[in-house]
Amino acid sequence: MTALASLGIPLSLAFTIGSFSVNGTMHHLLNLAGRYVAAGPERQSQFDGILVWIVLVSFAGTGFFRRRSLKNVILQEADCDRRIQNG
């Protein structure tokens, strides 16, 4: 759930750049793809790094805001494991 939410954040940003329309988003993604292919390897790796950082920061932020539910899931699984081990 956290991974899907963190991938949704950059997609939401792309949708925002496209003026909240599918046509606008596709137009901007086509423009981005053309510029990405035309760029040199240094610029492509720089863009890749920026994209990775955006996803990592959104993953960390999503995990931070979901920390209570994640903690509950971890504790429930640990409790279930103890019950199985004790019979």
Side-chain angles (χ1 to χ4, degrees):
M1 181 64 108
T2 303
L4 288 175
S6 65
L7 290 175
I9 292 171
L11 292 176
S12 297
L13 291 173
F15 194 64
T16 302
I17 290 171
S19 300
F20 299 103
S21 71
V22 175
N23 287 336
T25 302
M26 293 301 158
H27 176 72
H28 281 289
L29 288 176
L30 179 64
N31 184 24
L32 176 67
R35 290 175 183 260
Y36 182 84
V37 170
E42 290 178 4
R43 296 288 288 170
Q44 286 180 355
S45 67
Q46 183 183 16
F47 176 77
D48 294 343
I50 291 170
L51 190 59
V52 166
W53 273 107
I54 289 171
V55 171
L56 287 176
V57 167
S58 64
F59 185 79
T62 304
F64 175 76
F65 289 113
R66 292 194 64 227
R67 67 187 180 273
R68 185 172 306 230
S69 64
L70 292 172
K71 180 182 170 185
N72 289 340
V73 168
I74 292 170
L75 292 177
Q76 286 175 353
E77 294 223 0
D79 187 41
C80 183
D81 290 341
R82 276 189 233 119
R83 288 182 189 167
I84 291 173
Q85 288 177 354
N86 292 334

